Amino acid sequence: MKKLIVLLFMILPLGVVAQEVKIAYVKTQEVFMAMPEVSDMEKQMADLNEKYKMELQQMQEEYQKKYSDFIAQQDSLTENIKLRRMQEIQDIQGRMDNFMQVAQQDVQKKQQELLQPIQQKLQGAIKAVGDEKGYTYIIDPAALLYTGNTAVDATPFVRTKLGL
């Protein structure tokens, strides 16, 4: 009896391996770039970058004006006023540095915020196609060095699922 159970446990994995493995691939970058949400995201990111660029430009103009005024007047200023003006110029430089760091973080955060639902939608479509067509694996050929002849290109199916 024990031998029969051991034999069944040894044969059972062979039956699982013998099942047909259907592999497909999806060119995710191609599909991603065709999604209309991506162009909306790019527009929003360009607008945000432009706002930060304008704000930084105003700060740079203020810095240049203060610096130019200081250089032009430095010989006629008392030591105390000179030190205060130099401190003002350094403060503006510090605000610009801080602003650039915060702006960069905000841009990255906004990009991730906009990107996540698009990626989820794409992943959902890939999963739906995989379930409908019975694929065991769906891979991205960009991550592989070679895609065999038996792999199915599921890109058109995913595009159709997304309405592209």
Side-chain angles (χ1 to χ4, degrees):
M1 183 69 169
K2 285 185 179 180
K3 289 182 182 181
L4 180 62
I5 293 173
V6 171
L7 181 63
L8 283 175
F9 280 126
M10 291 177 65
I11 294 174
L12 185 62
L14 293 176
V16 173
V17 173
Q19 291 178 350
E20 182 181 355
V21 176
K22 291 175 72 177
I23 299 174
Y25 62 91
V26 174
K27 299 173 187 168
T28 55
Q29 190 65 25
E30 176 185 310
V31 176
F32 179 81
M33 294 308 293
M35 295 174 72
E37 294 91 340
V38 173
S39 61
D40 292 343
M41 179 193 77
E42 288 173 343
K43 184 184 181 325
Q44 288 182 35
M45 293 306 300
D47 291 346
L48 183 62
N49 280 326
E50 187 61 32
K51 287 178 185 175
Y52 282 127
K53 182 179 173 185
M54 295 296 287
E55 183 69 25
L56 182 60
Q57 187 175 4
Q58 288 176 349
M59 293 173 89
Q60 287 173 332
E61 287 171 3
E62 177 187 5
Y63 175 83
Q64 285 296 332
K65 183 179 182 330
K66 293 245 186 212
Y67 184 74
S68 298
D69 290 348
F70 174 74
I71 295 297
Q73 299 172 355
Q74 86 179 36
D75 292 337
S76 64
L77 299 174
T78 64
E79 194 62 32
N80 189 24
I81 294 174
K82 216 185 264 190
L83 290 173
R84 195 180 92 233
R85 296 249 174 107
M86 285 174 34
Q87 184 61 45
E88 286 176 5
I89 292 169
Q90 289 175 349
D91 288 347
I92 294 170
Q93 181 66 44
R95 282 189 296 145
M96 285 185 345
D97 292 343
N98 186 45
F99 177 79
M100 287 190 298
Q101 286 179 339
V102 170
Q104 187 177 29
Q105 290 171 353
D106 284 350
V107 166
Q108 288 174 348
K109 181 180 173 186
K110 184 67 172 180
Q111 183 176 21
Q112 189 60 35
E113 179 184 303
L114 294 172
L115 196 59
Q116 186 176 7
I118 298 170
Q119 289 174 328
Q120 288 175 343
K121 183 176 179 181
L122 177 59
Q123 291 298 321
I126 292 170
K127 183 179 180 339
V129 167
D131 291 344
E132 287 173 12
K133 303 288 184 181
Y135 297 127
T136 308
Y137 299 103
I138 297 181
I139 54 178
D140 188 340
L144 299 173
L145 298 175
Y146 173 74
T147 305
N149 295 338
T150 58
V152 176
D153 184 1
T155 305
F157 304 130
V158 173
R159 283 167 119 358
T160 301
K161 182 64 72 182
L162 290 169
L164 303 176

